[in-house]
Amino acid sequence: MNGIKRLLSAVAAAAVFGGAAVSCEDGKTSEDSIAEITSETEPTTEAAADVSGQTIVWLADYDLNPANGGPRSTALSLFEDVYGANVKYEFTSPSEKYDRLSEMIISGEQVDMFPYEEGAFPNGALNEQYAPLDPYFDSMGMAEEGLWDGMTDVIEKFGYNGQHYVVPYALTDPQVIIYSRNIMSEQELEDPYQLYLDGKWDWNKFMELMEAFVAKAPEGEKRYGLCGSCGQALLQSTGHTVVNYNGTEFANNISDPAIEKAELFMQEIASKGLYRSDWENYYPTRHDTLFFAAGDWALGESNAMNPNSDIMAVPFPKAPDADKEYLCCNYDAKMLVRNSTKGAAVAAYIKCERIAAAQEEYKKAAKQAALAEIKTAGGKTKSFVTEEQYDVLQSLLDPSERTPLIDFGYGMGARMYGEGDYNYETSGVMNKLTQALLEGEPAADSWETLRDSCSGVIDEEVGRFNS
């Protein structure tokens, strides 16, 4: 039994309360429905009052409180109405948030909760910016039957030196391939979604379809197979990471044959002229590119900008040698700031967010909200998601369907993961590995050149963390 499951077994006898509280995603449920549900399920145990009257300071570049008199999220509603606690927002700009966090910790200013993102961990733990959440597992309802089902293995993947600084309450932002089923039909190409359902959606089919689309171009028309951000997802489709972690030590894994195959696959896409590096916010309306690689955030606008194209999304194709289906995604989590005296309150807020993601009534409410069209002030449709698309995306975010991958290389500081003003020479190792060969960077004329230029930096950063 792994570390977190042993801890949950110990906590079970002392669970705070049995899943009575409820919540939902930010802005997805009306105040009336929140009040109706919470009035039926409001916990009456002593633990619900443990954080009553407390205020946690949330340092971020976005507010958890509603703006301009808008409705509260259910998570916030429960935190305020059931627990009797509240959130105070402390603004910081995206570029300055880590510096501001350190300043507040050093000066003794109150700061309790901070957003998790890929670059935040484990670097923030090494820099003593975060505290482990293990002492507050009972306040998060970890032992409550069913509440954290499906997430314990994901949480354990974030285990660091025997503790858990990151406790994701949901998977989010899956990386997907967006395409037009109309174009597939018109070009007499196989539908990627059907290939996915049939278990045939892999790198080989991906390449075959791109090459066929380009080959079918009328004379004088330039076509591409792919645009968008795809390097990280292709790497992670192998199931292998650039930096390995065994629970006590990090290791440089850049020479793994699976990593090499992914890099060579990206190089092959580039060498065949299939990749177009122009940035897009949605599926290209000129329809000269077969696939658009992006996070699911791009799907709604892709639909609106291509209203007659029957837009669809599928996960990234499986690496042919991978042992299972892997998912490149983000993780919804909140960090407990070092020296905070409000650990139980932060844990209670995290529990509210987990209930939002896990309980069926709120999942239904979230779906209903997601299917609503977003319109401009002039009434024009700006974004929408179909029910079929929504269901596909949710299936990808089920850890029992696809295995999310965590590469700690992204969280080991700017030398490993930093854009460097989008300059190859100054960007981080992980950025180079996901972009250089795909975009034909002259300084990385082969996989061997790229690997050798990155390996030394990885060794140095791995050594820094291991020491």
Side-chain angles (χ1 to χ4, degrees):
M1 183 180 292
N2 62 32
I4 193 169
K5 290 179 179 176
R6 286 196 296 271
L7 184 52
L8 295 189
S9 297
V11 167
V16 179
F17 54 86
V22 292
S23 70
C24 82
E25 294 183 358
D26 292 359
K28 302 296 187 185
T29 304
S30 70
E31 287 290 312
D32 290 342
S33 62
I34 294 169
E36 178 182 348
I37 298 171
T38 57
S39 67
E40 296 173 357
T41 59
E42 181 174 331
T44 57
T45 63
E46 179 180 333
D50 283 349
V51 299
S52 179
Q54 293 189 22
T55 296
I56 58 175
V57 174
W58 161 246
L59 177 67
D61 56 344
Y62 63 95
D63 197 353
L64 296 175
N65 297 292
N68 302 321
R72 296 176 296 173
S73 69
T74 309
L76 183 62
S77 296
L78 284 171
F79 192 62
E80 292 180 343
D81 299 342
V82 176
Y83 285 93
N86 60 84
V87 176
K88 178 184 177 183
Y89 176 45
E90 179 77 20
F91 168 78
T92 181
S93 67
S95 62
E96 297 175 349
K97 59 187 173 185
Y98 292 109
D99 290 338
R100 178 61 181 142
L101 175 61
S102 293
E103 290 170 1
M104 293 182 73
I105 293 172
I106 292 170
S107 68
E109 292 180 74
Q110 183 185 346
V111 54
D112 306 296
M113 194 164 71
F114 191 78
Y116 167 78
E117 61 185 19
E118 200 168 35
F121 183 83
N123 197 51
L126 186 70
N127 292 334
E128 299 187 335
Q129 293 176 317
Y130 313 128
L133 283 157
D134 304 66
Y136 307 103
F137 272 14
D138 54 353
S139 296
M140 283 188 280
M142 281 289 191
E144 295 177 21
E145 184 176 357
L147 181 57
W148 289 88
D149 282 358
M151 290 303 295
T152 54
D153 288 341
V154 177
I155 295 167
E156 186 60 23
K157 289 179 181 179
F158 280 98
Y160 179 63
N161 288 339
Q163 297 179 302
H164 301 85
Y165 294 80
V166 183
V167 178
Y169 47 83
L171 308 184
T172 187
D173 302 328
Q175 296 293 302
V176 294
I177 298 290
I178 298 173
Y179 69 98
S180 164
R181 284 195 286 207
N182 281 359
I183 290 178
M184 290 292 171
S185 178
E186 292 166 1
Q187 298 295 313
E188 298 181 333
L189 301 174
E190 294 177 271
D191 180 13
Y193 181 56
Q194 190 59 52
L195 289 169
Y196 167 63
L197 294 177
D198 294 340
K200 299 177 181 178
W201 181 231
D202 63 8
W203 290 0
N204 296 328
K205 274 293 181 184
F206 186 50
M207 178 66 79
E208 179 184 317
L209 292 175
M210 288 192 292
E211 290 184 309
F213 176 71
V214 171
K216 289 173 177 282
E219 185 176 354
E221 179 182 315
K222 176 62 176 175
R223 284 184 174 181
Y224 300 89
L226 175 67
C227 67
S229 178
C230 58
Q232 181 178 355
L234 285 174
L235 267 179
Q236 296 195 350
S237 70
T238 66
H240 294 241
T241 55
V242 175
V243 174
N244 288 343
Y245 183 62
N246 64 7
T248 56
E249 286 190 335
F250 295 97
N252 181 353
N253 194 45
I254 196 172
S255 295
D256 188 316
I259 299 294
E260 179 178 3
K261 287 181 180 179
E263 294 290 343
L264 293 178
F265 183 62
M266 286 186 259
Q267 189 173 42
E268 182 183 7
I269 291 173
S271 67
K272 291 180 176 179
L274 298 175
Y275 183 72
R276 179 168 61 79
S277 59
D278 300 354
W279 175 253
E280 300 282 358
N281 289 316
Y282 44 80
Y283 186 78
T285 56
R286 54 189 179 276
H287 294 175
D288 63 347
T289 306
L290 187 63
F291 294 127
F292 174 41
D296 65 342
W297 54 265
L299 186 55
E301 196 169 359
S302 293
N303 287 329
M305 297 300 295
N306 297 270
N308 301 312
S309 297
D310 194 5
I311 295 295
M312 190 54 180
V314 287
F316 267 71
K318 178 179 179 289
D321 297 333
D323 59 340
K324 62 179 74 172
E325 301 275 0
Y326 288 94
L327 175 67
C328 178
C329 66
N330 290 326
Y331 301 85
D332 275 340
K334 301 290 188 291
M335 311 297 291
L336 173 62
V337 176
R338 182 178 176 83
N339 295 335
S340 169
T341 60
K342 305 293 175 60
V346 170
Y349 182 84
I350 292 172
K351 178 180 179 178
C352 290
E353 292 282 14
R354 175 55 190 169
I355 295 171
Q359 291 194 351
E360 285 302 320
E361 62 266 39
Y362 295 109
K363 290 165 71 173
K364 290 177 181 177
K367 178 176 180 177
Q368 184 178 7
L371 297 181
E373 287 191 5
I374 299 175
K375 295 184 179 293
T376 65
K380 182 180 178 181
T381 298
K382 182 179 180 181
S383 174
F384 71 91
V385 175
T386 69
E387 185 170 9
E388 180 185 29
Q389 292 168 344
Y390 183 86
D391 289 343
V392 169
L393 294 176
Q394 292 307 300
S395 71
L396 300 184
L397 294 172
D398 182 349
S400 67
E401 295 292 327
R402 293 178 75 88
T403 301
L405 201 69
I406 299 159
D407 193 328
F408 280 129
Y410 286 95
M412 298 178 78
R415 294 184 73 206
M416 289 293 291
Y417 184 42
E419 294 291 354
D421 295 325
Y422 301 97
N423 181 292
Y424 174 79
E425 295 300 329
T426 58
S427 64
V429 163
M430 306 304 289
N431 309 79
K432 292 176 180 178
L433 293 176
T434 55
Q435 296 170 8
L437 295 182
L438 191 63
E439 297 182 0
E441 169 58 46
D445 56 359
S446 69
W447 162 237
E448 290 77 16
T449 300
L450 177 62
R451 180 196 61 207
D452 293 346
S453 70
C454 294
S455 190
V457 176
I458 300 174
D459 284 337
E460 290 174 11
E461 293 306 297
V462 161
R464 181 169 68 93
F465 277 80
N466 286 341
S467 65

